[in-house]
Amino acid sequence: MRRPDARPLYVQVEAILNDRIVSGSWKSGQAIPAEPELAAELGVSAGTLRRALAGLERRHLIERRQGRGTYVAQQTSQQALGQFFRVRNLAGRPVEPETLITGITTGPASEEEARRLRLAPGEAVHRIDRSRVFEGEPRIAERISLPAAFFPNLLLPLAPKQLGTEIYVHYRNAHGIIVVQAEENLSATAATEADSAVLGCPVGTPLLLIERVTFDAAGRPVELRVSRLDTRAHRYAVEIA
Amino acid sequence: MRRPDARPLYVQVEAILNDRIVSGSWKSGQAIPAEPELAAELGVSAGTLRRALAGLERRHLIERRQGRGTYVAQQTSQQALGQFFRVRNLAGRPVEPETLITGITTGPASEEEARRLRLAPGEAVHRIDRSRVFEGEPRIAERISLPAAFFPNLLLPLAPKQLGTEIYVHYRNAHGIIVVQAEENLSATAATEADSAVLGCPVGTPLLLIERVTFDAAGRPVELRVSRLDTRAHRYAVEIA
DNA sequence: CGTCTTGTGTCTTATACAAGACTGTGCGAC
DNA sequence: GTCGCACAGTCTTGTATAAGACACAAGACG
């Protein structure tokens, strides 16, 4: 007979540890047990455990510091920005966005929202409309759609204050949702009147349209974000390795 | 006194093996010595060697096949496409582009070409103008600029035949240049008359402008490519992990 | 304020076995 | 005799274990 679980041991261990983080039994920022101790608890060798930890580190779920210990990653605004925010100025430097919330609503999912977020048609979603301001100029108009089931009524009361900064930090701290991956589809589109009003560009200006679906550590889609970027003074940077 | 080379041993080994591939002493597609043999030759343990090999595999410089051996990666058209070509149709599926060469010239580098390719002002570059055709429709107009120093007069005689397919394969086979990394800057722009003629879209149609600089395994910029993508039926897909 | 000790992650080595891939042998069918 | 197939042997990479030296961080101690 074969092993009950054919996956390599280090993969299984990684899944176990991933679960501990996702389920919240290891909390954000907390130190996890030392390697020898953890290896003993799980009944695997130190090497196997280290291989599993390397996987978690690659996905930014933990941070390892030689001499100090290993910690469940604390999603800071800085990190979330570096990890997910790809807008640069013309000199190639990252920009520090400010945020202006322009509206928050809740309603049934549109066809596209349901499809991208894998929801049943008509399921409730929260929508946040906001603009992002770089160096004093509004450059992005975006709408964020969230499955209401994942973000129960908590959302609305907080409003602009928490949602102004990088929103993923808020997801994590308030809802225990750990964002680890995103898929984006880019295209070009012409500025509508609404875009023009928000971004201060002429109607018809070519904009970079970014459609992002974000996934949590359990692989569930947790956010649909449609951004319209005015590229007259900024670029979207991609590294291909 | 410290170690002469403070980098970890596995990093040093990876650099050595990287050099063997870049310098051509291990040729594309060739099998490299078996792990125990190579480890002995380099005077390191099997574990250390394996860690170095893992790094090379991650950068697609080698391919390892259990039971068969480890081979210097052969850049096939398929691979190059999967690795560097991010255009998808509206269903999210990769497209198979055909290519139409519209012009090949050589001349002194423009200011931008010199800056992006790290050339002295006025150094010679080859330029290839071509369009890429998806499902019968031309969707990309692009210009590829290559430092003439890296691609000596070989280039012109070959012309459309070899340059039609994925060009990176040609780089590798004919010039020994191994492409491993690229940086892209994306923005939106309006179709010019020239774009309109090539792509068959109205002047002013928003296009996705892709400015790519490609680097070889030694870290040198070897290509500047400016592509203009008609996004009416296609998207540029990015995965963020 | 420097030094020591302790606890942590990092690197390197060594060994064993598992699993995939190829080769050749030998047996049986025809 | 020759073809075809099963199977053992052997070479390869992949997985897992164990042990020790090392480097870094923090706190205790003098």
Side-chain angles (χ1 to χ4, degrees), chain A residues 116-119 147 150 213-216 219-223:
Chain A
R116 306 300 274 273
L117 294 172
R118 295 187 209 142
L119 300 176
F150 287 166
V213 180
T214 312
F215 299 86
D216 75 358
R220 302 173 302 191
V222 296
E223 178 202 72

Side-chain angles (χ1 to χ4, degrees), chain B residues 8-10 44-45 47-48 51 66-68:
Chain B
L9 192 48
Y10 68 90
V44 302
S45 71
T48 300
R51 194 156 173 186
Q66 183 177 146
R68 293 201 50 183

Side-chain angles (χ1 to χ4, degrees), chain A residues 195-239:
Chain A
D195 296 327
S196 171
V198 174
L199 301 172
C201 60
V203 171
T205 302
L207 301 179
L208 183 60
L209 179 64
I210 308 168
E211 298 171 293
R212 168 192 290 181
V213 180
T214 312
F215 299 86
D216 75 358
R220 302 173 302 191
V222 296
E223 178 202 72
L224 170 65
R225 180 184 295 206
V226 179
S227 306
R228 308 164 81 80
L229 168 65
D230 179 347
T231 59
R232 287 177 299 176
H234 296 84
R235 294 289 178 271
Y236 178 99
V238 183
E239 286 223 357

Side-chain angles (χ1 to χ4, degrees), chain A residues 44 50 75 94 178 214:
Chain A
V44 303
R50 279 186 63 74
Q75 197 132 15
I178 304 173
T214 312

